[in-house]
């Protein structure tokens, strides 16, 4: 497909999303209906769609409308191109801009817009970001308007960093170490097909954000420690920790189907993780020395990876999530051994989900102390993450 045809395809998919569709199903549906599109075409179209979704408000402002076509006009202008060179109507290119579209998008890009439009965030969220992040808030939000970097995590149980670097170099993949974690490798470009590489199939690495790896690095698990990941999902943090220490690992999730990929991932990584499918199993295996609570959250630190979540989140949904977070922490108290630890984790930048949540927990739970905490933002190189280590004292 020619570049302008890819633009036309992205418009079609974005129109579906603007009508209430969801990005991944919309992309899949389009691909099934256009089997002539190769893998490179599909990847390029996906990139355009997600680039627009990250900057949905500014693209709509510049393009003069809230529909897919207008937002892509705004995207093209933000990219430094003249829409007239893209919207030609020739071949499979999108039809030429109408007089109304030219007038609507004729201003200087990013002029005359509010801070929330310029920073591409919902109106309700900007005060929270600024209250939580202070003077760095706007700089962080600007970084989050662009694609997130791609990181690999080396599985030290099966390979060294050097082995992964040399192995993937043979596939033309350039990797660089990243200071956030000694297992983190930054991909200099955005290579396709990493999951088909021999190194991946052998369990030498997985894709995982560097800040997520840094959060795991802080967990002081010992050999034979009993570790429960109570909101395991795909088990990324459990697998990262298991690559470093030979402990006993248990995984649970309120929606067990989220753990469907954990077993094959663990087998590939040469790690044993016992999945606990219901609350009774969790209780029978307690107490645990470490309970990892990677809780449901706004995801505001990772919105550049999941831009739809940015636009679907709301104050009421955020309040509901904070209630769930508090409930998970209280449950973890009942599962933790004497002198055990709770490791609380979010991929949020909002202090209401982070520092304030922990402060509320400590007020309600005597005999617990905050041992350590850390906030990582995209200015550190990865996604936004918060973690707090809570230690039980005096049984």
């Amino acid at each position: 497909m020619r570049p302008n045809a890819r633009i036309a395809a992205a418009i079609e998919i974005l129109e579906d999303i603007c009508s209430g569709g969801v990005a991944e199903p919309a992309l899949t549906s389009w691909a099934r209906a256009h089997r002539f599109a190769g893998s490179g075409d599909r990847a390029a179209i996906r990139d355009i769609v997600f680039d627009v979704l990250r900057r949905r408000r500014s693209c709509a402002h510049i393009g003069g409308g809230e529909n897919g076509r207008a937002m892509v006009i705004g995207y093209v202008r933000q990219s430094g191109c003249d829409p007239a060179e893209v919207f030609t109507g020739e071949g499979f290119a999108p039809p030429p801009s109408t007089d109304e579209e030219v007038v609507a998008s004729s201003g200087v890009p990013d002029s005359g817009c509010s801070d929330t439009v310029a920073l591409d965030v919902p109106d309700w969220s900007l005060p929270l970001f600024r209250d939580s992040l202070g003077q760095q808030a706007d700089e962080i939000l600007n970084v989050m308007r662009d694609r997130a970097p791609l990181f690999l995590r080396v599985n030290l149980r099966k390979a060294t960093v050097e082995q992964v670097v040399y192995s993937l170099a043979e596939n033309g993949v350039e990797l660089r170490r990243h200071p956030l974690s000694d297992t983190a490798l930054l991909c200099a470009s955005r290579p396709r097909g990493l999951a088909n590489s021999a190194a991946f199939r052998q369990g030498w690495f997985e894709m995982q954000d560097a800040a997520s790896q840094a959060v795991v690095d802080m967990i002081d698990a010992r050999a034979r420690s009993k570790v429960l990941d109570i909101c395991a999902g795909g088990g990324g943090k459990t697998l990262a920790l298991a690559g470093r220490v030979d402990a006993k690992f248990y995984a649970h999730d309120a929606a067990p189907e989220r753990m469907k990929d954990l077993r094959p991932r663990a087998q590939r990584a040469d790690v044993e993780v016992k999945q606990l499918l219901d609350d009774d199993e969790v209780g029978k295996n307690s107490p645990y020395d470490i309970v990892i609570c990677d809780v449901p959250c706004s995801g505001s630190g990772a919105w550049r990876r999941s831009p739809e979540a940015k636009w679907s989140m709301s104050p009421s949904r955020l309040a509901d999530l904070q209630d769930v977070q508090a409930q998970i922490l209280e449950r973890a108290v009942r599962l933790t051994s004497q002198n055990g630890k709770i490791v609380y984790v979010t991929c949020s930048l909002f202090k209401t989900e982070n520092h304030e949540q922990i402060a509320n927990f400590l007020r309600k739970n005597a005999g617990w102390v905050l041992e350590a905490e850390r906030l990582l933002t995209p200015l550190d190189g990865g996604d936004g993450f918060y973690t707090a280590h809570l230690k039980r004292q005096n049984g």
Side-chain angles (χ1 to χ4, degrees):
M1 295 175 65
R2 295 181 180 275
N4 290 359
R6 292 172 173 176
I7 290 286
I11 290 173
E12 183 179 339
I13 294 164
L14 284 162
E15 292 289 1
D16 184 352
I17 295 169
C18 288
S19 299
V22 179
E24 291 295 352
L27 286 159
T28 300
S29 177
W30 185 93
R32 287 174 177 167
H34 300 81
R35 303 234 178 231
F36 60 84
S39 60
D41 296 319
R42 295 194 301 273
I45 292 165
R46 177 189 175 87
D47 285 345
I48 295 169
V49 168
F50 277 86
D51 285 347
V52 171
L53 290 176
R54 285 184 197 95
R55 300 186 174 211
R56 183 168 184 162
R57 293 196 72 179
S58 62
C59 284
H61 173 79
I62 295 167
E66 296 286 341
N67 56 74
R69 181 177 165 91
M71 288 192 291
V72 171
I73 291 174
Y75 163 77
V76 170
R77 292 199 68 204
Q78 278 194 336
S79 301
C81 299
D82 182 354
E85 297 176 1
V86 176
F87 290 72
T88 64
E90 298 175 359
F92 294 99
S97 299
T98 65
D99 292 341
E100 290 80 6
E101 287 174 331
V102 171
V103 170
S105 64
S106 61
V108 176
D110 295 330
S111 66
C113 62
S114 66
D115 286 353
T116 52
V117 171
L119 294 170
D120 282 297
V121 291
D123 290 337
W124 63 267
S125 70
L126 186 55
L128 275 179
F129 277 117
R130 287 177 170 168
D131 185 43
S132 301
L133 302 171
Q135 295 182 348
Q136 290 187 318
D138 289 15
E139 184 181 2
I140 290 169
L141 292 177
N142 259 320
V143 170
M144 291 174 63
R145 297 174 72 224
D146 295 321
R147 295 181 203 175
L150 176 62
F151 291 99
L152 309 184
R153 174 184 58 79
V154 177
N155 177 13
L156 298 179
R157 185 181 288 265
K158 299 193 74 173
T160 66
V161 171
E162 290 74 19
Q163 284 177 306
V164 174
V165 170
Y166 293 148
S167 176
L168 292 180
E170 294 178 354
N171 297 340
V173 180
E174 182 184 349
L175 300 169
R176 297 195 296 266
R177 285 181 176 271
H178 196 275
L180 276 176
S181 173
D182 60 10
T183 57
L185 290 171
L186 171 65
C187 294
S189 59
R190 303 191 70 82
R192 309 288 180 183
L194 284 173
N196 295 322
S197 67
F200 180 80
R201 294 195 303 270
Q202 292 167 4
W204 287 11
F205 74 88
E206 285 212 3
M207 278 68 80
Q208 186 173 9
D209 179 72
S212 179
Q213 296 180 53
V215 165
V216 174
D217 293 346
M218 291 178 61
I219 301 175
D220 184 25
R222 310 291 177 86
R224 296 183 296 280
S225 293
K226 289 181 65 176
V227 180
L228 170 65
D229 189 347
I230 200 171
C231 307
K237 290 182 177 60
T238 291
L239 295 177
L241 186 58
R244 291 180 170 274
V245 62
D246 189 19
K248 296 180 180 179
F249 294 98
Y250 301 82
H252 172 73
D253 199 283
E257 64 274 11
R258 293 178 188 147
M259 298 192 293
K260 62 183 176 64
D261 294 330
L262 177 52
R263 191 177 306 279
R265 291 175 70 191
Q267 290 174 343
R268 189 172 58 245
D270 194 21
V271 169
E272 183 177 347
V273 181
K274 183 174 182 179
Q275 294 189 38
L276 308 177
L277 300 181
D278 56 45
D279 292 346
D280 287 342
E281 285 189 89
V282 173
K284 287 177 183 177
N285 286 278
S286 67
Y288 304 91
D289 301 306
I290 297 174
V291 178
I292 301 172
C293 302
D294 189 3
V295 296
C297 68
S298 65
S300 55
W303 276 352
R304 57 181 173 175
R305 293 191 191 275
S306 304
E308 281 182 297
K310 171 163 57 173
W311 308 116
S312 62
M313 187 55 56
S314 67
S316 61
R317 174 61 178 150
L318 178 60
D320 289 342
L321 285 167
Q322 290 168 199
D323 288 342
V324 171
Q325 292 158 10
Q327 292 166 14
I328 291 171
L329 279 169
E330 292 299 331
R331 184 185 181 194
V333 168
R334 300 190 294 273
L335 297 170
T336 309
S337 65
Q338 183 176 353
N339 297 320
K341 293 182 183 180
I342 295 173
V343 176
Y344 179 79
V345 182
T346 75
C347 54
S348 172
L349 295 170
F350 297 144
K351 69 180 184 181
T352 54
E353 298 181 276
N354 298 336
H355 305 85
E356 291 180 4
Q357 187 71 264
I358 296 305
N360 290 335
F361 172 86
L362 293 172
R363 278 195 293 270
K364 295 176 182 177
N365 291 274
W368 286 83
V369 295
L370 176 63
E371 256 197 348
E373 67 179 338
R374 187 179 186 186
L375 176 67
L376 293 162
T377 80
L379 298 184
D380 296 305
D383 289 340
F385 273 90
Y386 171 82
T387 188
H389 291 208
L390 302 160
K391 185 172 178 61
R392 187 198 292 273
Q393 292 188 331
N394 302 321

